[in-house]
């Protein structure tokens, strides 16, 4: 039963990640094609991310509502000695069904505590895509926009977006 439950949970995660990416609200893992994605597209990426998890280096933060996966993110310690006091937040995703319910805000509060108290980090960074209002969401959570890389993200021909660089002092 445990094995079946684990496989079912992994399938739900892949399905959920694909749904969020297809809705335009997530970073597409480097080893995935551009949307639309299926859960099969997500399999290698989810397995790769799971293989990188380690308490001091890379943590997965998960939000659930009842038993449903509602959101997740990764926080990674920078590996270079000059940046080891900093971390990067990646793959912040809230399942489409739970958007607007406070799941994203709860993830932001939780990652702040984990990064500071459990990983010993002093600063976090993340990047977001312009055109979605995400910088407003992160601003409400205490993040500061520190720069932009104009036109860095090409979603489709003729649809280039800025990559917004954000920082959070812990």
């Amino acid at each position: 039963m445990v094995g079946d439950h684990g496989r079912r949970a992994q399938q739900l995660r892949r399905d959920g990640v694909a749904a969020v990416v297809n809705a335009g609200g997530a970073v597409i893992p480097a080893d995935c094609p551009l949307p639309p994605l299926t859960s099969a597209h997500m399999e290698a990426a989810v397995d790769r991310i799971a293989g990188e998890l380690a308490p001091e280096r890379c943590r997965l933060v998960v939000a659930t509502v009842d038993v449903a996966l509602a959101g997740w993110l990764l926080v990674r310690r920078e590996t270079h000695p000059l940046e080891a006091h900093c971390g990067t937040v990646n793959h912040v995703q809230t399942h489409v069904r739970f958007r607007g319910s406070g799941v994203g805000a709860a993830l932001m509060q939780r990652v702040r505590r984990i990064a500071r108290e459990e990983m010993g980090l002093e600063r976090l960074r993340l990047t977001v895509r312009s055109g979605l209002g995400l910088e407003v969401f992160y601003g409400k959570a205490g993040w500061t926009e520190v720069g932009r890389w104009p036109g860095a993200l090409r979603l489709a021909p003729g649809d280039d977006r800025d990559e917004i660089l954000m920082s959070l002092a812990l």
Side-chain angles (χ1 to χ4, degrees), residues 71-168:
W72 68 290
L73 61 78
L74 290 173
V75 58
R76 291 184 171 102
R77 174 182 302 281
E78 294 303 319
T79 57
H80 193 283
L82 294 175
E83 297 178 313
H85 65 290
C86 296
T88 300
V89 175
N90 292 101
H91 304 291
V92 179
Q93 298 186 14
T94 302
H95 194 287
V96 177
R97 188 171 73 206
F98 297 104
R99 295 239 171 106
S101 67
V103 170
L107 283 168
M108 289 295 103
Q109 288 177 333
R110 182 82 170 141
V111 74
R112 174 183 254 166
R113 189 186 68 70
I114 288 170
R116 182 181 57 239
E117 296 175 15
E118 297 178 23
M119 296 176 76
L121 299 174
E122 299 171 24
R123 179 169 297 280
L124 292 175
R125 64 177 151 213
L126 64 80
T127 60
V128 299
R129 162 183 2 161
S130 67
L132 299 173
L134 295 171
E135 63 273 29
V136 174
F137 166 78
Y138 289 108
K140 289 178 182 176
W143 293 78
T144 302
E145 181 178 331
V146 294
R148 287 182 180 239
W149 187 6
L153 304 172
R154 178 160 292 154
L155 303 181
D159 187 6
D160 292 352
R161 307 280 178 94
D162 293 353
E163 184 169 42
I164 303 169
L165 313 172
M166 303 199 76
S167 178
L168 176 69

Side-chain angles (χ1 to χ4, degrees), residues 4-18:
D4 291 340
H5 177 72
R7 282 192 294 274
R8 178 71 178 136
Q10 283 186 330
Q11 183 64 38
L12 290 171
R13 286 183 186 95
R14 287 191 296 269
D15 291 346
V17 172

